[in-house]
Amino acid sequence: MTVLAEYGNVLLIMACIFGLFMAWGVGANDVANAMGTSVGSKALTIKQAIIIAMVFEFLGAYLAGGEVTSTIRKGIIDPNLFNDTPELLVYGMLSALLAAGTWLLVASIMGWPVSTTHSIVGAIVGFAAVGISVDAVSWGKVMKIVASWVVSPVLAGTISFMLFRSVQKLILDTDNPFANAKRYIPMYMFAVGFLIAMVTILKGLKHVFKDAGFKLSFIESIGIAAVIGLAVAAFGIFLLNKVKYQEDENNRFASVEKVFAILMVFTACAMAFAHGSNDVANAVGPLAAVVNVIQSGGVAAKSMMPSWILLLGGVGIVLGLATYGFKVIATVGKKITELTPSRGFAAELGAAGTVVLASGTGLPISTTHTLVGAILGVGLARGIGALNLRVIGTIAMSWVITLPAGAGLAIIFFFLFKGIFG
C-alpha cells in the first residue's frame, strides 16, 4: 500500500494528464469521423461542425455515458485479482490510457480513421494478459466486443443502404424531386427526433429519473419520444418552407440537396450525441478506475463516476477535434466515396441508429467502424464503382493494426511504470 500512499498525488496527476491526452485522441480521430460526413458533403462548415460537436458530444457524454463506461472499466478485466496489489491496476490503467492516446496521435497524423474502442480495449487486454496473467482477462467479454466490431459496420451499412435507396426511390428518381423532398423529409426528421429521444430517455436520463424517484414504462418512453419526434418534424417543416426552388442547369438536385443540408444539421447533432454517449467511456473509464483506487486505497467492486471526470473527458474531446480533427474529416468526408447532403444524411442516420442500439445494450461498438460501414453502404447503393477501394484498403489495414499496437504499447508502458514506482 505504501506505493499509493507515497505517490498517490503524482499518479493522480498523471492519470488526469493521460486521460486528457486520450480524450484529445478521441476528439482528433473519432469525433472527426462522426462529423466527416457533414463537412464532406458541405452541409456544415468545419467551424459549425466543431460548435455542434462541442454541445452535443458533451451532452451525450454527460447524460448517457455511464452505461458503456462500466463495460470498459470493469468488464474486460477481473478487478478482484488486484485486491492485494491495487497499484498494479493503477499502472495498468495509466499505461492503457497512454498507449491508446499515443496510437490515436499516430493514426490522426496519418489521417487514418481508427477505433478508439479498439485502441483502449487492446491496451487493457495487453497489460492484463502479459503484466498480470492470461486469466485476468475476461475473454468472453472481449469476444463479445470483437463480435460487435464486425456487427456494427455490417448493421450500419445495411441500414444506410436501405435509407439511401428509400431516398432515391421517394425523392431523387422522381419527376419532381423538390416537391417530393418537402413531402417526405419530415418523415426522416421524425425518425431522427424519435431515435435520439429514445436513447436519452432509456439510457441517458435513467439515473436522473431514479434520483427523482419515478420510473417510465417502455410504452410511456415510446410515447414521449414520439412527441419529441413530431416536434422535430414540425420544426423541420418550418425550416423547409423557407427553402425556395432554384433552377440549376448543372444539377437538377441542387434545391433538393439544400433541403437535405438542413436535415444533416439534425443528424449531425444526433450523431454527436450518440457518439458522446458511447465513446467518452474510452477516455474516462480507465481514469475513473485510477481515481477510485487512489482515493479508496483499494479496488472497489462498485466505483462512482465523479462528474469532473466526465467534464475532463468532454473538454479533451472538444480540444482534439478543434486542433487536429481536419485530417480524419478529410479522409471520411471526401476520400471513401463522393458525398452529397442526401448521401451524408443516410450514412449519418444509419450510423446514429446503430450507435443508439449499441448504447442501449451496453455494447462498446466502434463509432468509426459504424460510420465507415454506413458510408460504404451509401456508396454501394450507387454501385461498387462509386467507392475508392484503395482508401478502403488502407483504412481496413489500420483497423487490423490497432489492437496489437494498443496492446504492445501498453505492455511497454506497464513495465516502465512498474519499474519507476515499484
Side-chain angles (χ1 to χ4, degrees), residues 247-325:
E247 198 65 59
D248 187 332
E249 285 156 24
N250 302 324
N251 182 6
R252 66 184 276 254
F253 298 128
S255 296
V256 176
E257 293 295 356
K258 256 195 195 141
V259 175
F260 270 106
I262 292 172
L263 192 47
M264 277 211 77
V265 177
F266 285 97
T267 51
C269 298
M271 194 62 211
F273 181 90
H275 179 268
S277 72
N278 205 64
D279 281 42
V280 72
N282 298 330
V284 300
L287 174 56
V290 173
V291 171
N292 280 301
V293 171
I294 291 172
Q295 285 179 348
S296 65
V299 180
K302 243 192 152 90
S303 44
M304 292 294 291
M305 172 61 75
S307 49
W308 68 265
I309 292 184
L310 284 171
L311 207 66
L312 186 85
V315 169
I317 283 174
V318 169
L319 283 174
L321 177 67
T323 54
Y324 216 81

